[in-house]
Amino acid sequence: MERRMIIFCTLFFCFSVAQTTGPHKRTKYQQILKTIKYLQATVKDKDVELLHTPENPVDGCLSAAVTCFQQGILKLQPESRQVNSTFTQTVKVLQRFTISNSGQRCDSSCESYEKKSPKEFLKSFAKLIQKRQVYNFVKKTNKKLSEDLKRQKCFHIST
């Protein structure tokens, strides 16, 4: 009987999480990733300024890292004049993107990060967005699991 209850609760949890994983934020991150991939394909990568590239910022510095990326994006140049207007619009989209600040003080400045080529810079930006997307999913899933366990009392923990 207890085994059936655990299976039921697990299935209930999986289905409820699948329906409530925040499609708006997921879509927002997917659009940002798509925008970054477009820039990677159209950015000039030779004879250009190297850019300070945040890599693996701590959780408290995510907002500061995004600000560094946004400053660097302004220095990107299109590979050809044919894509110039679309390239400019794409840069504007990324300028409006924000990540909420955790409230922690971040000691690292943009200049403290290593300089890399524009394509490597954009690859690191995409990696940061993907990590944030996974972090948000896990955070929401854990919250949902905790709420479901409290509501359903699925598991009996003996001490």
Side-chain angles (χ1 to χ4, degrees):
M1 180 68 178
E2 186 176 323
R3 188 174 187 193
R4 286 183 185 173
M5 184 61 138
I6 291 172
I7 292 171
F8 170 76
C9 289
T10 304
L11 290 173
F12 176 80
F13 167 73
C14 290
F15 288 120
S16 62
V17 168
Q19 294 173 358
T20 61
T21 55
H24 173 69
K25 277 197 177 191
R26 222 179 17 225
T27 303
K28 174 180 153 184
Y29 288 124
Q30 290 301 324
Q31 287 174 326
I32 294 299
L33 287 170
K34 188 176 178 181
T35 303
I36 292 170
K37 286 181 194 233
Y38 169 78
L39 284 178
Q40 282 178 314
T42 58
V43 72
K44 184 176 181 181
D45 203 41
K46 294 184 178 164
D47 301 322
V48 292
E49 179 182 352
L50 296 178
L51 305 165
H52 293 284
T53 306
E55 287 189 301
N56 301 321
V58 294
D59 285 341
C61 293
L62 289 178
S63 180
V66 168
T67 301
C68 291
F69 279 116
Q70 288 174 325
Q71 290 171 2
I73 284 170
L74 292 174
K75 298 175 184 176
L76 295 176
Q77 301 169 19
E79 199 166 43
S80 71
R81 292 179 189 238
Q82 295 169 339
V83 296
N84 194 27
S85 64
T86 308
F87 190 89
T88 304
Q89 292 300 319
T90 305
V91 166
K92 286 180 183 178
V93 167
L94 291 177
Q95 286 300 116
R96 292 190 299 262
F97 174 68
T98 59
I99 286 184
S100 58
N101 195 348
S102 67
Q104 294 176 335
R105 188 168 177 263
C106 183
D107 293 329
S108 54
S109 67
C110 294
E111 290 75 29
S112 68
Y113 295 109
E114 182 182 346
K115 285 187 170 187
K116 295 192 175 187
S117 72
K119 288 195 181 201
E120 287 297 314
F121 170 84
L122 290 168
K123 187 188 279 187
S124 290
F125 191 19
K127 215 157 106 179
L128 176 88
I129 299 302
Q130 288 169 336
K131 282 182 183 178
R132 184 62 182 193
Q133 188 176 14
V134 168
Y135 170 79
N136 283 347
F137 175 76
V138 169
K139 184 177 170 184
K140 183 167 266 187
T141 302
N142 285 341
K143 183 178 178 184
K144 183 72 174 149
L145 174 62
S146 176
E147 290 170 1
D148 284 347
L149 289 176
K150 286 178 186 175
R151 224 180 8 254
Q152 300 294 323
K153 297 186 182 188
C154 292
F155 299 100
H156 175 68
I157 302 172
S158 58
T159 55

